[in-house]
Amino acid sequence: TATTAGAQTPPSSQPRLQISALQYSGAFRLPAAEFGSSSLNYSEGPFDYNAANNSVFIVGHAHHQQIAEFRVPAIVNSTNLSSLNISGNPLQTFVNVIGKAPSGNPQDINRIGGMRLIPGANGPELVVNGYQYYDAAGTVSHTTLVVRSPGALTTSTVGGFYSFAGGS
């Protein structure tokens, strides 16, 4: 459908992804051991794939909210958990990026809700979206960090916290 500049097609008129369109290709496992100051035990699962390293950035234990990078082992097409390959030690151990913001953490962001590796001016950057676990007053507005050098989580500078204006 043709649209005019600036016009958007309402989401309700977009086709929905059907489960029948998906095909299971396999899986792998990540280790439960401690790597640095966190582990994947009780991870809530935010992650993003890094095609350049065939790896994933993933948030560890729910209480720690730290990010590590693990190489993706060969995918095994099995539904038997014990048949799946397990990734080895991480490429990068867990790092607290929330605590690296130059402005500190004035709105007490304490959870990571998502991540996305994007192209940046000087190479890839990791956008990290956070939230406050219990923001009853609904006042948290600055929720986003940018890890400028995701290939060096420990030493990377971090930009943020940033806010976004809503769209129409």
Side-chain angles (χ1 to χ4, degrees):
T1 308
T3 58
T4 59
Q8 296 180 352
T9 304
S12 59
S13 66
Q14 295 291 320
R16 293 185 182 184
L17 177 68
Q18 300 296 315
I19 196 75
S20 60
L22 302 175
Q23 179 181 353
Y24 178 74
S25 295
F28 64 95
R29 299 181 343 182
L30 294 170
E34 192 165 300
F35 298 103
S37 54
S38 192
S39 72
L40 287 166
N41 296 309
Y42 303 101
S43 170
E44 294 172 328
F47 74 96
D48 194 30
Y49 179 67
N50 180 1
N53 286 348
N54 188 35
S55 62
V56 291
F57 288 101
I58 188 164
V59 177
H61 193 291
H63 292 169
H64 306 148
Q65 297 297 300
Q66 297 184 15
I67 299 171
E69 182 181 14
F70 288 86
R71 187 163 315 280
V72 174
I75 303 296
V76 175
N77 190 343
S78 175
T79 56
N80 182 344
L81 189 61
S82 63
S83 298
L84 303 179
N85 289 325
I86 301 175
S87 180
N89 289 339
L91 298 172
Q92 300 185 77
T93 60
F94 287 98
V95 174
N96 177 0
V97 298
I98 292 174
K100 293 180 75 172
S103 62
N105 189 357
Q107 294 186 319
D108 194 29
I109 301 298
N110 54 17
R111 294 286 190 270
I112 296 174
M115 296 181 287
R116 181 70 179 172
L117 201 59
I118 64 166
N122 298 310
E125 296 181 332
L126 185 65
V127 176
V128 178
N129 183 260
Y131 62 97
Q132 187 184 82
Y133 179 73
Y134 187 69
D135 179 21
T139 58
V140 173
S141 59
H142 291 67
T143 59
T144 304
L145 298 168
V146 179
V147 179
R148 300 296 179 193
S149 301
L153 290 172
T154 302
T155 58
S156 178
T157 58
V158 174
F161 285 88
Y162 301 110
S163 66
F164 292 91
S168 56

